[in-house]
Amino acid sequence: MPRESLKSKAARTEQILQLLKEEFPDARCSLDYENPLQLLIATILSAQCTDARVNVVTEDLFKTYKSAADFADAPIGELEGAIRSTGFYRNKAKSIKGCCEALMEKYEGVVPDTMEELTPLAGVGRKTANVLLGNAFGKEEGVVVDTHVGRITKLLKLTNQGNPGKVEQDLVKIVPRDDWTLFSHLLIRHGRKTCVARRPDCQACRLAELCPSVKP
């Protein structure tokens, strides 16, 4: 099979986007939050944990801790207990506390809105920064590459990379910038409904004609 050109891949990506937009018109971030700080904390908690579980935990968590100062001042053991059911709670509590201490020291408790300011914060890598910038601030700075996005874009032959950073580099070349944030939400919904990791339902997939990996 001849190698697909970047122009052809971009055109196919636009078709994929259109079909997914029709199927999931309400696609959005599935973490519950009311402000950038809440989304930051929820995203840190979402590592190796379902968004549904995170939403259960943060419903009470955000009633107790309402500001960066609250998280920064919280005893680490208390914070660990509050987030225990999200898994890896010791590391997550340490990250949340460290992150919020830095917010207090450098930004008066306000979550910054640039990649350069976000990524040095404890528990915040490029993926988390992309989540914050795209969803809380409406800034299209990159594509969030989670397990669904990495897996499905590889099946769609939009990338052949395994490293999330390299996958993102491929995707920003072919996904329209205005859709960078939405693209991830759409693929996540698609991955949960149809292109499930262990049992992809290729027969029911709206992307079947555009997917080189479709199973007969």
Side-chain angles (χ1 to χ4, degrees):
M1 180 182 292
R3 184 175 180 179
E4 186 177 18
S5 70
L6 196 64
K7 182 176 180 181
S8 172
K9 196 175 290 186
R12 187 161 58 89
T13 302
E14 293 239 30
Q15 292 178 280
I16 289 167
L17 267 166
Q18 186 56 44
L19 289 172
L20 291 179
K21 285 177 181 179
E22 292 171 4
E23 186 167 5
F24 305 111
D26 59 341
R28 64 171 186 81
C29 179
S30 52
L31 293 169
D32 294 337
Y33 67 97
E34 294 180 356
N35 54 57
L37 177 65
Q38 289 187 356
L39 181 57
L40 173 57
I41 301 302
T43 305
I44 291 174
L45 292 176
S46 70
Q48 303 297 312
C49 182
T50 66
D51 289 353
R53 166 49 53 184
V54 172
N55 289 338
V56 169
V57 170
T58 55
E59 183 175 3
D60 289 329
L61 189 72
F62 294 154
K63 291 175 184 176
T64 304
Y65 308 99
K66 301 179 184 296
S67 66
D70 290 341
F71 283 106
D73 294 340
I76 193 71
E78 178 184 290
L79 202 51
E80 288 175 354
I83 66 172
R84 181 180 293 265
S85 67
T86 66
F88 302 96
Y89 62 93
R90 288 193 176 91
N91 286 337
K92 290 179 182 180
K94 183 179 178 182
S95 292
I96 290 170
K97 188 172 174 65
C99 179
C100 288
E101 286 172 347
L103 290 179
M104 294 304 298
E105 292 170 8
K106 298 179 180 179
Y107 305 111
E108 299 181 344
V110 178
V111 178
D113 63 352
T114 69
M115 183 69 71
E116 294 71 25
E117 293 170 310
L118 284 168
T119 48
L121 297 173
V124 180
R126 183 174 176 87
K127 174 186 168 185
T128 296
N130 275 333
V131 172
L132 261 291
L133 293 169
N135 294 282
F137 296 110
K139 291 188 172 185
E140 304 286 356
E141 295 294 337
V143 176
V144 174
V145 179
D146 76 340
T147 53
H148 287 296
V149 175
R151 175 176 59 82
I152 296 172
T153 53
K154 202 165 185 179
L155 288 172
L156 288 166
K157 306 299 184 188
L158 300 181
T159 182
N160 61 4
Q161 301 291 338
N163 176 275
K166 292 183 178 180
V167 172
E168 183 184 4
Q169 289 174 17
D170 284 346
L171 294 179
V172 295
K173 296 174 186 174
I174 57 176
V175 178
R177 184 162 187 156
D178 288 348
D179 288 318
W180 281 358
T181 299
L182 180 60
F183 182 74
S184 297
H185 297 324
L186 290 169
L187 284 191
I188 289 168
R189 289 286 295 273
H190 182 60
R192 288 172 178 166
K193 178 185 176 184
T194 306
C195 194
V196 182
R198 295 182 181 178
R199 54 181 196 286
D201 189 358
C202 295
Q203 300 307 308
C205 183
R206 294 194 67 185
L207 306 183
E209 292 186 3
L210 298 169
C211 181
S213 301
V214 68
K215 296 180 181 179

